[in-house]
Amino acid sequence: MAADRVTTDFSAAEGSPMITVAVVDDHPIARHGIAHILGALPDSSVTTTASVGSLPELEEALAAGATPDVIVLDLYLDGGTPALDAVAALSVATRVLVMSASGLPADVLGAIKAGACGYVTKHCSAELFVAAVETVAAGGFSLSAELADILQAELTRREPGPGAEVIGPRLSPREEETLSYVARGFTHAQIATRLGVRKTTVDTYVERIRAKLQVGNKAELTRAAIARLSSDRGSAPT
């Protein structure tokens, strides 16, 4: 996987409405830099509606009428603990894109399971950052390419072997296999190639999975897939 590519399944179409973003980062220079990036790229459809240094300041901005399509949230705000509770609370009302210097698997998995629609590192380029914002705003899911590789390795390590107890709605073996590929960021066409079936068959598997797991858009499906695959599962009795 190329190191300068953001994995996406959606992108903002040309001529689409302006996307508004709230930036939450406790470093003023980082906030100003992000706000500059969002407004500096030619033909960008993204603008900053709020730029704050803390969650209370964000609450004030929201109470004052700010209605961001996406909240770009620094995972580590004022301390050494990831703000997973904030991700969970904010994701109820709007889409959250985590931006952090950390690329630890536990942080990536934790943020996604808490409700984030994407996770990018502060090492990504301006173009890829804006693309990630557009993807999340459109209902998609986005990871920095290097994080997608890390996530794939981590999920492969955690994937339960045959006979492991499944937590949650039961899927068929083919649906479980399809979902594991979804968690790793593969497209339907790529999954079809790996399963040796037509893309339309994968589309059918995914629709069945959505119904069984009761999820809607791509971001919700990806989060459910990652949560299911990374959950602790005990071994079935032998």
Side-chain angles (χ1 to χ4, degrees), residues 4 28 37 42 46 53 80 101 127 130 134 138 146-147 160 162 170 172 194 213 219 227 236:
D4 61 347
I37 288 170
V46 185
E127 291 81 5
V130 173
E134 292 174 338
E146 71 274 14
L147 295 182
R170 185 165 296 277
S172 72
R194 282 159 177 77
L213 300 186

Side-chain angles (χ1 to χ4, degrees), residues 16 20 22-24 45 50 54 63-64 76 95 102 107 118 121 133 157 162 173 178-179 186 200 224 227:
S16 58
T20 56
V23 179
V24 188
S45 61
S54 67
Y76 284 86
R95 299 180 178 96
S102 169
D107 285 342
T121 69
V133 170
R157 184 184 70 80
T178 298
L179 193 63
F186 288 100
T200 54

Side-chain angles (χ1 to χ4, degrees), residues 26 74-84 100 102 104 107:
D26 56 339
D74 183 8
L75 189 61
Y76 284 86
L77 289 169
D78 297 323
T81 303
L84 298 180
S100 177
S102 169
L104 295 175
D107 285 342

Side-chain angles (χ1 to χ4, degrees), residues 3-157:
D4 61 347
R5 182 173 64 84
V6 170
T7 57
T8 64
D9 285 281
F10 297 84
S11 61
E14 185 176 352
S16 58
M18 187 65 70
I19 298 167
T20 56
V21 175
V23 179
V24 188
D25 193 303
D26 56 339
H27 294 89
I29 292 179
R31 292 200 306 274
H32 295 158
I34 293 170
H36 173 74
I37 288 170
L38 292 176
L41 291 182
D43 302 322
S44 173
S45 61
V46 185
T47 186
T48 304
T49 186
S51 181
V52 298
S54 67
L55 293 171
E57 289 180 65
L58 175 63
E59 292 176 0
E60 291 179 7
L62 296 176
T67 55
D69 298 306
V70 178
I71 294 176
V72 175
L73 177 68
D74 183 8
L75 189 61
Y76 284 86
L77 289 169
D78 297 323
T81 303
L84 298 180
D85 289 344
V87 173
L90 293 171
S91 64
V92 173
T94 190
R95 299 180 178 96
V96 177
L97 173 64
V98 169
M99 188 174 194
S100 177
S102 169
L104 295 175
D107 285 342
V108 179
L109 281 171
I112 295 169
K113 291 170 71 173
C117 292
Y119 193 120
V120 295
T121 69
K122 293 184 176 181
H123 305 292
C124 75
S125 69
E127 291 81 5
L128 295 181
F129 171 60
V130 173
V133 170
E134 292 174 338
T135 295
V136 170
F141 182 86
S142 185
L143 286 177
S144 292
E146 71 274 14
L147 295 182
D149 291 339
I150 292 171
L151 182 61
Q152 180 171 343
E154 182 68 7
L155 291 178
T156 299
R157 184 184 70 80

